Amino acid sequence: MKKILVTGALGQIGSELTMHMRNIYGANNVVATDIRRIEGHETVESGPFEVLDVTNAKQMADLAKKYNVDSIIHLAALLSAVAEAKPVLAWEINMGGLFNALEVARELNTAFFTPSSIGAFGPGTPKIKTPQDTIQRPQTMYGVTKVSGELLCDYYFKKFGVDTRGVRFPGLISYTTPPGGGTTDYAVDIYYEALKSGKYTSFIGEGTYMDMMYMPDALNAIVTLMEADSSKLIHRNAFNITAMSFEPSQIAAEIKKHIPNFEMSYDVDPVRQAIANSWPDSIDDSAAKAEWGFNAKYDLASMTSDMLLKLREKLNIK
Ligand code: VAH
């Protein structure tokens, strides 16, 4: 990758990935785009930024040609809970935007990355150590767009030779940009509330296991996969990757090691609980490890230590 276009660059992944890639490839070689411009945001101020509506095919093609990009990192999408509330809009953005991005990649012969998710699995999928290759019949609009996206990306590779690659992300936890409208967001919100109020009411029920990952591992995974030797890839769209699997009481217990008086309670959101129940408890990421050397560094204990340290600085809480 030498000249990279990022869509959704102001989102939870995009805002950190843009900075991560600018540090690696040079600020002027990573073109950040999003549906809106936020003045003063480091992603906007630290290198090329353009307003882009990914449902506008011509606008995306014109930008890719203007900057002569050789890689597209397509992140613009609605997350699970928002997509369930707005299914038609979710299809338009998640699939319409993806189709436009793949067409640009085909026309300009760029490399291509877009994330799938553990949300691409459904109730009929084996829940423990979910295999790389298994049944995928999700019952959420988010999941439908993720499975459809995986199939479309594989089609563009097989039919047109587009170098498409992707990962099935677990819940991503970060301190920079809060997620917007996901089912796993509780695992981010809990750290903020633990510091601000010393208590948190989880919208996901006790005992609900989901795969999770600290954002630094997610950023490294994207770059490592995109720089991997294409000839070694048996799979492409998309690789299971994970760092840990936990349920709400376990993250609460880890936080209590740092904040002994922290109090956890539960007020389950039936919509997001139903989504979480349809997802795996844990996934098998052996294919990613074997084919491109995926290796997560953070576990629940080390993530919690780092999250609380960085959030104390960010929130100016001693
Ligand atoms: C969501 N954070 O909750 C996203 C992600 C696996 C979860 O897809 O929708």
Side-chain angles (χ1 to χ4, degrees):
M1 295 191 291
K2 291 184 176 50
K3 193 80 172 185
I4 305 154
L5 176 74
V6 180
T7 71
L10 294 179
Q12 184 198 19
I13 302 172
S15 56
E16 294 198 58
L17 181 65
T18 298
M19 301 312 294
H20 183 70
M21 285 185 153
R22 284 178 173 166
N23 289 333
I24 297 169
Y25 299 102
N28 287 331
N29 293 322
V30 182
V31 182
T33 71
D34 206 295
I35 189 71
R36 80 277 195 220
R37 181 187 188 92
I38 300 177
E39 294 302 337
H41 192 289
E42 63 175 349
T43 301
V44 172
E45 305 300 337
S46 63
F49 182 90
E50 300 275 359
V51 174
L52 168 63
D53 176 350
V54 295
T55 63
N56 182 325
K58 183 179 185 312
Q59 190 188 16
M60 196 185 305
D62 289 348
L63 277 179
K65 291 168 188 168
K66 173 183 175 183
Y67 288 95
N68 190 30
V69 300
D70 69 356
S71 305
I72 296 174
I73 307 289
H74 181 62
L75 304 175
L78 297 189
L79 294 182
S80 57
V82 172
E84 211 52 32
K86 302 176 182 175
V88 175
L89 181 63
W91 180 265
E92 288 168 357
I93 293 173
N94 293 13
M95 293 313 297
L98 175 61
F99 181 77
N100 290 340
L102 283 166
E103 274 295 283
V104 172
R106 180 176 65 81
E107 185 184 348
L108 302 184
N109 192 30
T110 76
F112 189 87
F113 174 90
T114 198
S116 180
S117 160
I118 58 173
F121 299 116
T125 303
K127 283 182 82 70
I128 310 298
K129 285 294 177 198
T130 300
Q132 173 65 44
D133 301 305
T134 187
I135 185 169
Q136 292 178 260
R137 293 190 65 80
Q139 293 177 346
T140 64
M141 175 53 87
Y142 180 71
V144 168
T145 69
K146 288 302 174 184
V147 173
S148 304
E150 291 185 11
L151 297 173
L152 195 59
C153 289
D154 272 347
Y155 179 84
Y156 268 72
F157 171 65
K158 291 187 175 68
K159 178 81 173 178
F160 305 119
V162 179
D163 183 6
T164 59
R165 307 181 190 194
V167 297
R168 292 170 186 148
F169 274 132
L172 298 182
I173 295 164
S174 62
Y175 58 85
T176 303
T177 305
T183 299
T184 59
D185 295 0
Y186 89 89
V188 178
D189 302 342
I190 191 170
Y191 288 110
Y192 282 84
E193 287 310 313
L195 290 170
K196 287 178 180 174
S197 64
K199 56 189 174 186
Y200 180 65
T201 300
S202 173
F203 57 76
I204 295 294
E206 188 169 3
T208 308
Y209 283 89
M210 288 188 274
D211 285 278
M212 300 283 182
M213 182 180 290
Y214 199 26
M215 186 61 80
D217 283 328
L219 305 181
N220 288 334
I222 294 171
V223 173
T224 305
L225 173 57
M226 293 308 286
E227 296 290 0
D229 178 352
S230 180
S231 68
K232 299 276 194 327
L233 301 181
I234 298 166
H235 297 84
R236 280 180 170 269
N237 304 283
F239 286 93
N240 284 2
I241 62 169
T242 186
M244 60 194 93
S245 169
F246 58 73
E247 53 95 359
S249 73
Q250 292 175 308
I251 188 173
E254 198 61 42
I255 288 171
K256 281 175 78 76
K257 293 178 184 173
H258 300 262
I259 306 172
N261 296 329
F262 173 69
E263 292 175 13
M264 179 73 149
S265 58
Y266 298 87
D267 180 9
V268 173
D269 168 8
V271 172
R272 285 182 283 188
Q273 185 64 44
I275 293 172
N277 291 344
S278 72
W279 292 354
D281 289 357
S282 62
I283 64 175
D284 169 19
D285 59 3
S286 55
K289 288 173 175 167
E291 297 177 34
W292 49 277
F294 168 66
N295 177 33
K297 293 181 173 53
Y298 285 89
D299 62 11
L300 179 55
S302 51
M303 174 178 71
T304 299
S305 295
D306 197 63
M307 270 294 280
L308 292 174
L309 176 71
K310 298 290 188 355
L311 280 177
R312 285 185 191 279
E313 292 166 17
K314 177 180 177 179
L315 303 173
N316 194 23
I317 296 175
K318 291 285 170 271

